[in-house]
Amino acid sequence: MAVIVHTSVRLGDMQAQYLLDEQTLQLGLRLIPAGMEPLSWDTKRHGVDSCVQTYVTGDVFSNGYAGGKTLRQSGTTRALQLERIQVQTLPGGGKTVKASLRHPVYGQFCHSLVWRGGSWLESHTTYHNDTARPVCLEALSSVSLFDMTPFSPADAPGDLVIHRLESAWSMEGRLLSQGAEELNLEPSWAKLGVRTLRFGQVGSMPVNGWFPWLMVEDRRSRVFWGCQIAHNASWQLELYRADDGLSFSGGLADYQFGHWRKTIQPGETFWTPKAIVTVCRGEGVLDAAQRMTAALMPENPVEVERDLPIVFNEYCTSWGCPSQEGISQILEVLRGKPIRYFVIDAGWYKPEDKPWDQALGDWKVSQELFPQGLEQMVKAIRQAGMIPGIWFEPETVGPDAQAYYQEEHLLKRDGFPITTMTRRFWDFRDSWVRGYVKSHIVDFLKDYGFGYVKLDYNDTIGLGCDGGESLGEGLRQHMEQVAAFHQLLHQTLPELVVENCASGGHRLEPSWLRSTAMSSFSDAHECVAIPIIAANLHYALLPWQSQIWAVLRQEDTPRRIVYTMAAAFLGRMCLSGDVTRLSPQQWQLVDEGMAFYRRIAPVIAQGHSHRFGPEITAYNTPAGWQGVFRMAPDGKAFVVLHQFGGDLPKEITIPLPTGYRWRVMGTYGNGTVLGEKTLTWHPEGTFCAAAAAMEGEKVLPGQTDDMGERI
């Protein structure tokens, strides 16, 4: 078998290599850091794994006891042959690489790789049915990379580590790192019997169990391959191995995993969701991950967001029962403080004596809670110097709402409305529903003059819904129209700040992150794990998109207030709680925390994060400590330190980047000490915190730093 590098394209500090099997014309995509030289292909026992993974109903499945395990390397895929590769230069200096493949029966598949000048690539696939008959797809990848052992001998024994991000309600972003052998991804002695690991999420909450995120590390060469899937419905990522090489692919959940199949009519074209991919040589997973999060800038930036303003959300004050009286009292306390957004959360619409989560869908302002109407509250919030915000859950209806019984407009499965304990779901493919949502939400926001909206979502429809060729396709079509609702909001109200929330963090995936200004990081409102979760999310989203609860209670000690406020320095600060009942001494600590946040906001926006401390296993009773150092290109930086339970260390030391003269510009909490290339903190007890704002002056080559060391 002759395998050649058919095309090699430099994309920033990455190299895309398209390897061609000259006998079968199968084309594989290998990504490597630019400047690194792979081992000779002849030293390995492996074949080319296609850059497009697909399966057409009725075709041949993969070899290797793969039935029910995978649709990769199917008969459909193995019949794809290279037509051409085109490299185009984009305005601004980026590049697009398009690899066109043809199936002798089913037509044209095209894989596109787009580099826009950053540290990541966008990957997607199109299928164009240029045949005379319908074609039913059951799988089509957004990305498929192979040969992730190019720098290690044989099958890289002991070198490969698979990193994934787990997710659960109020425990988002736990990093799970496992060796390839531990996951049974070691090839067999005879290179027979495929090894697969397919994981993902099924339903309308794309981060319900796993983040659509994967990192493969070669510890020998310190090379990392990363991927994030940008899809708001069912998705999958799959590791695959039949020989010395390791491959992964990802995109839409296929028919076996997420009940997705779709018939493409003659002349039609289907586009997959995008995937974000990267490769680099680096020191750790977090460094590599931040190459991908750099791709998540909002598509519709709002000017008022540029300095990362502080949010106040009254949910943890009223717990779903906001009122004119309560909000008026809060406004008197917050007047003059550096808070820009005041958000009225769930319950403003609920009938008397009904819970907020069962009255969704009619969206009528409660006269009992707001006897003078919501107009008066909007006016009062603006008079207090803040931008008014309000909460909606636009996709669902509750049993105490008339909308719950509009069954002809609700999502169904097997002919029955999809029903959970407290919700049913609008069908956004229905033009009547789109009109209803526009009049009850979009026009509502415009008419009342709200400048901020929190869009929440607190359940999932699961496998899918009627109306498509499959349940998974019905779900994809529905969620496509939900995304169109976001675009309608931006088009109608371009200055509106939109917050993405789904029981906290269940929609923290790239397409939602790009279409909103910021996202609720979690429903972890008051628990001690907040700083752990907040730091976890630096793997998957930009910190300035990550809105972190800072809930204040009347009984909070000074230590607890500092602990709470410092956690919010790891993202966007969102205050809530007993703000009308805090003492002057408590408010002094809160005010100092807000001032510190304002000082470090530019670093939150532009910085690069480094995380320190032992692994934290139990989130409800965490033991150990955590440090996060974040530095911006201009040398400004900050460090946030949290001590949890367990044994209390005498001191905690964070190493600082060399080549700088460091100065501490301000602190929050009990003191930190700047030493020789380190920052040292002496915790005052369990569950305490401290932070320091710093500035590093670059020392030029040949100069000495303050310690006399030559640079």
Side-chain angles (χ1 to χ4, degrees):
M1 178 178 67
V3 175
I4 63 169
V5 178
H6 180 279
T7 302
S8 185
V9 185
R10 178 75 176 259
L11 303 170
D13 62 359
M14 298 167 283
Q15 196 82 19
Q17 295 183 332
Y18 292 84
L19 276 69
L20 180 69
D21 183 325
E22 292 186 303
Q23 180 179 348
T24 65
L25 297 186
Q26 282 268 285
L27 186 74
L29 173 59
R30 175 170 71 187
L31 289 181
I32 61 174
M36 292 189 71
E37 192 66 33
L39 298 176
S40 170
W41 180 267
D42 297 334
T43 65
K44 300 294 193 96
R45 293 179 61 193
H46 59 180
V48 171
D49 185 281
S50 179
C51 63
V52 171
Q53 295 293 329
T54 186
Y55 177 75
V56 170
T57 302
D59 213 337
V60 177
F61 292 107
S62 174
N63 290 330
Y65 317 109
K69 293 170 57 178
T70 184
L71 292 177
R72 292 185 93 264
Q73 289 297 97
S74 66
T76 313
T77 297
R78 291 180 185 272
L80 296 177
Q81 294 188 343
L82 173 65
E83 282 190 325
R84 63 186 177 275
I85 296 177
Q86 296 172 292
V87 181
Q88 299 173 326
T89 300
L90 299 175
K95 291 179 182 178
T96 296
V97 187
K98 293 185 177 180
S100 296
L101 312 176
R102 177 159 292 277
H103 191 281
V105 177
Y106 305 130
Q108 187 184 66
F109 294 78
C110 181
H111 176 258
S112 295
L113 205 57
V114 182
W115 176 62
R116 303 186 188 278
S119 57
W120 72 93
L121 308 170
E122 289 180 354
S123 174
H124 74 278
T125 302
T126 58
Y127 166 62
H128 177 63
N129 185 356
D130 56 5
T131 74
R133 65 174 188 173
V135 173
C136 186
L137 298 175
E138 293 190 9
L140 186 61
S141 61
S142 297
V143 61
S144 184
L145 304 182
F146 92 118
D147 192 19
M148 274 166 280
T149 59
F151 309 110
S152 296
D155 61 355
D159 290 345
L160 296 180
V161 181
I162 313 303
H163 304 281
R164 293 179 287 170
L165 290 179
E166 295 181 297
S167 182
W169 184 78
S170 290
M171 290 185 180
E172 292 86 352
R174 186 193 295 267
L175 182 67
L176 181 64
S177 303
Q178 297 167 289
E181 292 82 5
E182 182 183 356
L183 291 167
N184 209 26
L185 289 171
E186 182 179 17
S188 70
W189 62 272
K191 305 299 187 282
L192 296 174
V194 299
R195 276 58 168 142
T196 67
L197 174 63
R198 181 170 53 187
F199 70 99
Q201 184 283 140
V202 173
S204 47
M205 279 183 161
V207 188
N208 183 21
W210 296 98
F211 278 74
W213 184 102
L214 173 67
M215 191 80 67
V216 177
E217 175 187 359
D218 180 344
R219 289 187 296 192
R220 177 190 295 263
S221 62
R222 303 200 325 275
V223 172
F224 296 83
W225 292 266
C227 179
Q228 282 187 282
I229 304 299
H231 186 49
N232 62 4
S234 300
W235 60 269
Q236 70 182 49
L237 280 159
E238 184 173 359
L239 293 135
Y240 176 96
R241 198 167 200 182
D243 48 34
D244 282 351
L246 176 70
S247 305
F248 75 67
S249 57
L252 289 166
D254 64 29
Y255 188 66
Q256 290 185 348
F257 190 80
H259 206 272
W260 179 81
R261 65 180 170 194
K262 180 175 179 61
T263 300
I264 313 300
Q265 298 297 330
E268 290 184 342
T269 301
F270 180 76
W271 286 262
T272 68
K274 292 179 180 177
I276 298 165
V277 292
T278 195
V279 65
C280 67
R281 191 175 191 184
E283 297 302 322
V285 179
L286 184 55
D287 282 343
Q290 288 173 99
R291 292 173 61 89
M292 293 192 292
T293 60
L296 305 182
M297 299 287 287
E299 295 170 344
N300 301 283
V302 183
E303 181 64 31
V304 73
E305 271 285 281
R306 289 193 180 275
D307 61 345
L308 312 191
I310 297 171
V311 183
F312 179 86
N313 181 307
E314 56 72 44
Y315 181 71
C316 296
T317 307
S318 73
W319 294 114
C321 192
S323 67
Q324 177 179 310
E325 179 182 5
I327 292 172
S328 297
Q329 293 172 356
I330 296 170
L331 291 176
E332 287 305 309
V333 174
L334 299 186
R335 192 181 302 272
K337 296 190 180 297
I339 298 169
R340 188 166 299 165
Y341 307 126
F342 187 105
V343 183
I344 303 171
D345 210 282
W348 54 268
Y349 48 83
K350 74 182 194 69
E352 194 172 9
D353 300 325
K354 301 290 185 181
W356 69 265
D357 61 343
Q358 301 214 17
L360 311 163
D362 292 343
W363 306 124
K364 296 177 181 178
V365 179
S366 168
Q367 294 183 352
E368 290 80 16
L369 295 172
F370 298 96
Q372 294 182 317
L374 212 52
E375 301 93 334
Q376 182 63 32
M377 284 293 90
V378 170
K379 181 180 178 181
I381 291 169
R382 291 202 179 273
Q383 287 177 341
M386 289 173 280
I387 295 172
I390 197 163
W391 179 98
F392 276 100
E393 193 171 326
E395 299 163 59
T396 64
V397 295
D400 289 328
Q402 293 179 2
Y404 189 84
Y405 304 98
Q406 299 267 16
E407 293 189 8
E408 67 273 25
H409 302 299
L410 301 178
L411 289 176
K412 298 180 179 65
R413 187 158 55 237
D414 300 323
F416 296 95
I418 299 173
T419 306
T420 69
M421 296 301 291
T422 58
R423 285 165 174 79
R424 288 176 170 176
F425 305 85
W426 288 126
D427 186 344
F428 270 61
R429 298 166 297 181
D430 184 333
S431 60
W432 183 92
V433 170
R434 295 197 298 271
Y436 182 94
V437 172
K438 180 182 181 300
S439 63
H440 284 71
I441 298 178
V442 180
D443 294 346
F444 179 101
L445 294 168
K446 184 177 180 180
D447 293 344
Y448 277 100
F450 283 100
Y452 184 113
V453 64
K454 177 178 178 178
L455 299 180
D456 207 343
Y457 186 71
N458 289 292
D459 221 319
T460 173
I461 73 167
L463 186 61
C465 56
D466 298 340
E469 296 94 325
S470 59
L471 295 177
E473 173 60 9
L475 170 65
R476 189 198 67 81
Q477 293 174 0
H478 164 69
M479 294 306 299
E480 188 174 59
Q481 290 301 316
V482 173
F485 165 70
H486 275 222
Q487 293 306 311
L488 176 65
L489 271 178
H490 292 306
Q491 293 163 7
T492 308
L493 300 166
E495 297 306 313
L496 181 72
V497 176
V498 181
E499 176 191 338
N500 163 40
C501 183
S503 289
H506 284 86
R507 281 181 166 172
L508 297 178
E509 59 81 25
S511 71
W512 283 109
L513 295 169
R514 283 171 160 174
S515 69
T516 53
M518 68 181 105
S519 297
S520 176
F521 89 122
S522 176
D523 268 355
H525 300 117
E526 303 179 61
C527 59
V528 293
I530 286 177
I532 304 168
I533 300 167
N536 287 349
L537 294 187
H538 287 218
Y539 290 109
L541 63 155
L542 294 164
W544 65 267
Q545 295 175 303
S546 181
Q547 187 185 114
I548 300 168
W549 287 104
V551 179
L552 306 163
R553 292 298 173 208
Q554 184 180 18
E555 63 272 17
D556 283 349
T557 63
R559 184 191 298 180
R560 174 67 195 204
I561 290 176
V562 171
Y563 185 96
T564 297
M565 296 293 287
F569 301 158
L570 298 174
R572 295 293 297 277
M573 180 177 288
C574 180
L575 298 178
S576 193
D578 301 338
V579 293
T580 61
R581 295 186 286 168
L582 298 182
S583 69
Q585 292 76 19
Q586 289 173 312
W587 262 117
Q588 181 178 347
L589 282 173
V590 176
D591 289 339
E592 290 173 2
M594 287 191 289
F596 187 90
Y597 171 87
R598 297 302 316 143
R599 177 194 285 270
I600 65 172
V603 186
I604 297 174
Q606 299 293 331
H608 185 88
S609 296
H610 304 270
R611 189 174 183 178
F612 304 94
E615 181 182 3
I616 308 298
T617 53
Y619 281 27
N620 291 327
T621 55
W625 63 275
Q626 173 181 282
V628 175
F629 176 85
R630 187 166 175 84
M631 182 177 175
D634 63 1
K636 291 184 172 61
F638 67 87
V639 63
V640 179
L641 297 150
H642 279 85
Q643 166 66 36
F644 307 119
D647 295 334
L648 187 67
K650 293 182 178 179
E651 64 179 31
I652 292 170
T653 299
I654 299 295
L656 300 175
T658 59
Y660 293 86
R661 293 190 184 97
W662 287 103
R663 292 182 295 163
V664 173
M665 310 302 293
T667 61
Y668 183 65
N670 70 308
T672 52
V673 178
L674 182 63
E676 295 186 0
K677 303 187 185 304
T678 62
L679 190 78
T680 299
W681 176 49
H682 299 91
E684 61 182 343
T686 56
F687 298 102
C688 64
M694 309 180 71
E695 191 169 297
E697 179 186 357
K698 189 75 173 177
V699 180
L700 298 176
Q703 291 182 320
T704 58
D705 60 17
D706 289 341
M707 277 66 75
E709 182 174 327
R710 190 171 181 81
I711 303 300

